Every structure is written in structure tokens, then in C-alpha cells.
Amino acid sequence: MMAMAFDEEVDLLVIGAGAGGMTAALSGAIAGLSVLLCEKTGMVGGTTATSGGTTWVPGTELSHRAGVPDSAEDAAAFLRHVVGNRGGDARREAFLAAGAKAIAEIERHSEVRFVAAAAHPDYLDGPGSAYGGRALAPVEFDGRLLGADFDRVRPPRDVFMGLGGMMVGRGELGALLAPFASASNMATALKILLRYARDWLGHRRGTRLLMGNALVARLFYSLRRREVPIWFDSPLTDFIRDGQAVIGAVIETPQGLRRIRARRGVVLATGGIGWNRALRERLFPPQIAPFSQAPEGNSGDGIALAVERAGAALDDGCDSAGLWMPCSLLGRPDGSQAIWPHIILDRAKPGLIAIGRDGRRFVNEAGSYHDFCMGMIRAGLSEAWLVADAGFVRRYGLGLVLPGGRGLRRLLRQGYLQRAGNLVALAAAIGVDAQGLAESVQANNRFAETGSDADFGRGSTVMNRFNGDPEVKPNPCLGPIRQAPFYALRVVPVDLAGSGGLDCNADAQVLDREGRPIPGLYACGNDAGSIFRGTYPGPGTTIGPAMVFGWKIARQLAKRG
Ligand SMILES: Cc1cc2nc3c(=O)[nH]c(=O)nc-3n(C[C@H](O)[C@H](O)[C@H](O)COP(=O)(O)OP(=O)(O)OC[C@H]3O[C@@H](n4cnc5c(N)ncnc54)[C@H](O)[C@@H]3O)c2cc1C
């Protein structure tokens, strides 16, 4: 080691500028460490920037402030129920023990701000499940504060922006779609549109940042204020080792290769499996689409390099190596593909079923996106169809078709969804069994009358009903499908995050194949195997642990002295 030459020396070297990496870097700087953050692309944010930004951290002070007090003990009971005996308990305990402290400290010493949602239920019912307080929403951020750095914030995916570059919050969509429905709708719509019009004068997109974009911009702004160096276009290409220990890394910068010594540790936060073909083939089931929702720069570098060059062990994610969303696809004239994840807007609304090629249902469609896709995997389905009638599409929209049926004609022309005057013709148009479809619709219509889905329990959980239509009785998730024309939209399961990753212990140290910590090597975010072992307990359960472990790594290393 004495003979090794380094171009740079820092306490903490962080690889990847998403939620995990930026939190580790920021927390390191807060704790007084010298930090270097290396990012492969020209922008911060990774998948985090394109996400909902919801951050699941139980028992925070924010939950009390929001009037929905939550506790780590309740969350522990809930996780025992959801995760059961799948192992990894020590990491979940470490997450729960650190969570509230991590969020409080980050908020106190930076520009990162959250509010606890009073109503954003966990994805499953059980002892200790929460209706609100646990899912933290990043507070809106004014991108203009970043000055020229605003262009370094990865924009949301274009399907999530209105008018070519405007972010719209979950609660604002209704006002924008129906501005004349009430005075408050009009006021909201005007406020959003006027701000966006002003942004057009000086920016390439709207500067009113929400959700994942707000979280990333707040982390970035905080890093800039603390003058933490960020190297852009600078991917990790190798580790520098001294025996078993990782003592630094080789970074490929626009000026050439740089060897960085990391006195206390190297943190991997490169966003997980993402587009890495070898890892996908090894770990993902064959039903999963051959593309990811992560930006293409997320090519599994951290995991692959740690396994190949540092002797790290791979964690297969237990129940599932990925976390999934059912997505519909639209081929664009330029050959690209728009991917629309069906997260909350349509699947749980009354009057929709999902079927496989046999025309039959296979899952509770109103469950979480991950559980919906796990249903597909269990049934051996690589594609499924969401089926609804004319009234449903008009009222709720369907995928890219907005409520009121906006965009419907164009999207039909583009082959995004299919329409037919009766169910037999619809079955023929999409190539599914007509008898199966007819029987599934008949059963659905019976269930809509009784309010009870005898086959899959649609509308039976708190989260199901939260995403349903409260005006529909007796079950807000059940409604008839009978008003022609009928529609079918194809969905495929796509990863939103890895659940498999590097095998880590409760201190976020990466483990070798004998289960021993590799000195100097840490992982957070999707580079680390998920602490929820392939289950998806609630909204924000990837970013929550990414931030908490990012904070914990920096804190530990600062204390070590
Ligand atoms: C539509 C959608 C909505 C979602 N909503 C939520 C939500 O609300 N809440 C939630 O918890 N999860 C959500 N997720 C999942 C969540 O976005 C990710 O799990 C999370 O953002 C991953 O964070 P990360 O820090 O691990 O990686 P990322 O945010 O992807 O960051 C990784 C960074 O590492 C960089 N990188 C890659 N390779 C290298 C290299 N070799 N060297 C240097 N840098 C490198 C990448 O360029 C990238 O900037 C959503 C996902 C999708 C697709």
C-alpha cells in the first residue's frame, strides 16, 4: 500500500448520485468528513429523480406533527407480519432504530424537507400497519434556486410531465383536468399554469419540482451549499484493494483515470441491477420485460464490480429479485417507447379486471403494483390485459388515456389500447379466450352487486379501498363492466427497483462469500439487497432504507475517527 499512488484522498468516497448516494455524501459532510461524490452521468438523480419520491420511514417526529403519530414498534410488528420468517431481521431492526433519527438530523442540517402524509396507507393490512404518518413526501422545491445547476437535475420521465415539461402533483391533476368545475379548481390550475408559463422564459422545463425530483433537487442543493465536490461523467471502474480491504477506487473522469484513496470507506449507491443483462438473466424470472424503468446509466456497475473485483456475495432478494410495476407501452414514431406504470390511478377503480390469455383473472387488481406483478409471475404470465368499459374510461381514464377520455382517439389509432363493440370481438382483437373473458366479466358484475369479490378479495384491504372510488358503494373497488364499447390495454411487468443486490449486514457493510464484512466497502439504495426480502410493505420502501442506511454509513464512519 505504501507504494500506491493516489490522485486524491478523502474520508468518504461515494459512488452514484441517487437517493442513497447523495444522502451518504450529505450526511458525511454534515458529520465533518471530507467527501467526494462520483456520478457516472452528467446529472444527479438516477431513478430517484423520476420516482414518486415517497420515503417510508416509521416513527418520525413528522408523523406527530401531521397528527398521525407513528412508532417504530408498530412498524416492527407490521414487518414481522409482512416479511415473516424470510430472514434479515437484524437489518430491518437497524433501519427502524435509525430511521427517525436519520430524517431529523438530515432535515436539521440541510435543505431536505418532508411532510408525513396523513393518508397514504401501507400496502398490506396487518398488526401495526399504518394509514398515514409513515410515508414521507418531499416538500416542493423551487428549481430556480439551483441556478445553472438546475440542468444537472435529471428530469422526470416525459409521460409524467404535462405540456412538455410541467410537473403535476397527485392532488392537482383533478383541478387541471376540470378547471371550470369549481373556483378552487380554477385557482389551482391558474397558479400552476402561470408559474409554468413564466418558467418557459428561462428554462427548458418547469422549475416547480415535486416528488422524486424535489427530493433530488433538495439533496443536490444541500450538497452544493456544503461545497461537497461532485464529479460528473465519472463512473467507478474498479476498486483499489489492500489485501481483502477496499481502500479506494478508480474513477474514469473526462480528464482520464483517477485513483482515489478513501480513508474511511467507499459507498456503493449505483442504483442496483437496472439494465445489467447478466444479472437480470441470472436473477429475474422469465416473465419480466427485457427493459428497466431505471435510467440507462444504471447498468448494475456497483453490484457487478463488487462481486467480480472485491469478492462480494450476491443476495438474490429472497422472495423476488426485483420489485415490479405493471406497465403499458406506447411505441412512438421515432422508434422509442413510452412506458406507463399503472401505480394508483386506474387498477383499483371499480369496473376494471385484469386477465391473462385464458380470459381469466389471476390476482386482486387493486393490490400494490408489486403484488399485481407477483400474481402475473405466479400465473406464468408475461403479459396481461386490463379490461374496462366505456363508462370506466370516461370517468377514470386508463393508462395514458386521461379521465374524460382525453387522448383516447389518438391512442386507439396508435394501437396503445384496443376497443370493440362487444366482449367477443374484444377477445378476438387481443387474442384471449372469449369464453374465459365472458365468464370473468359476468363474475365481476355479480361481485359488484354483492360488494364482495369471492375470487380475489378486490376491495378487501385498506389500501385497495383508498385507491378505489369512495362514491361507489358497497365496495369502492367493484363496479360492473357492461357499457359498450369495451376496452383492453396490455400490461407487462417491469422492474422499478432491484430487491436482489449485494449481501450486506446491519451496518451496511458489504459481505464476502463467507459472510464476512469486506473492510472499507459499504452499499445502500438498490445496490444493497432489500431489507424487505422481496415483499413490498408500503409506499416508499426503497427510498426509505436507501436514505436511512446512507445516513447510517456516514454516521458510523465519522464516529470511528
Ligand atoms: C415510476 C417509479 C416510481 C417510483 N416511486 C417510488 C417512490 O415513491 N418511493 C420509493 O421508495 N421508491 C420508488 N421507486 C423506486 C426508487 O425510485 C428507486 O428504488 C430508488 O430511487 C433507487 O435509489 P438509488 O439511490 O439506489 O439509485 P438511483 O436513484 O437510481 O441512483 C443511482 C445513481 O448511480 C449512478 N451510477 C450508476 N453506475 C455508476 C457508476 N459506475 N459510477 C458512478 N455512478 C453510477 C446513476 O447514474 C444514478 O445517478 C419508483 C420507481 C419508479 C420507476
Side-chain angles (χ1 to χ4, degrees), residues 60-204:
T60 62
E61 175 54 33
L62 296 171
S63 71
H64 294 263
R65 246 182 268 162
V68 274
D70 180 35
S71 77
E73 292 71 32
D74 281 351
F78 176 59
L79 289 176
R80 272 195 298 279
H81 172 74
V82 173
V83 185
N85 57 4
R86 294 175 178 88
D89 304 17
R91 296 178 64 214
R92 283 188 301 284
E93 282 163 22
F95 166 67
L96 293 176
K101 230 187 275 174
I103 295 298
E105 187 172 296
I106 294 166
E107 283 206 332
R108 194 160 50 245
H109 297 288
S110 80
E111 303 303 315
V112 175
R113 296 285 180 278
F114 291 104
V115 281
H120 201 169
D122 283 332
Y123 286 171
L124 295 154
D125 288 354
S129 62
Y131 184 75
R134 220 167 256 176
L136 312 180
V139 172
E140 176 181 325
F141 183 73
D142 185 345
R144 292 173 297 195
L145 292 171
L146 281 164
D149 272 338
F150 177 57
D151 288 341
R152 291 267 191 205
V153 178
R154 182 174 294 283
R157 298 228 313 274
D158 52 6
V159 288
F160 290 142
M161 291 192 289
L163 302 175
M166 178 181 74
M167 294 199 77
V168 178
R170 192 202 266 217
E172 297 164 351
L173 192 61
L176 282 170
L177 289 174
F180 301 110
S182 69
S184 90
N185 274 16
M186 177 56 82
T188 306
L190 273 178
K191 195 172 125 218
I192 297 169
L193 290 170
L194 286 175
R195 165 71 185 271
Y196 183 53
R198 243 186 302 143
D199 283 345
W200 261 114
L201 299 175
H203 302 91
R204 275 188 286 183

Side-chain angles (χ1 to χ4, degrees), residues 15-21 38-41 43 45-48 50-54 157 160 234-236 269-271 293 297-298 301 325 341 343 496-497 524-527 536 540-544 546:
I15 313 293
C38 292
E39 164 56 40
K40 180 179 188 174
T41 68
M43 286 180 275
T47 317
T48 311
T50 68
S51 77
T54 306
R157 298 228 313 274
F160 290 142
S234 297
L236 165 79
T270 69
Q293 289 190 81
N298 286 24
D301 300 1
M325 282 174 176
I343 303 176
L496 72 115
C524 61
N526 292 338
D527 277 359
Y536 210 116
T541 44
T542 76
I543 295 178

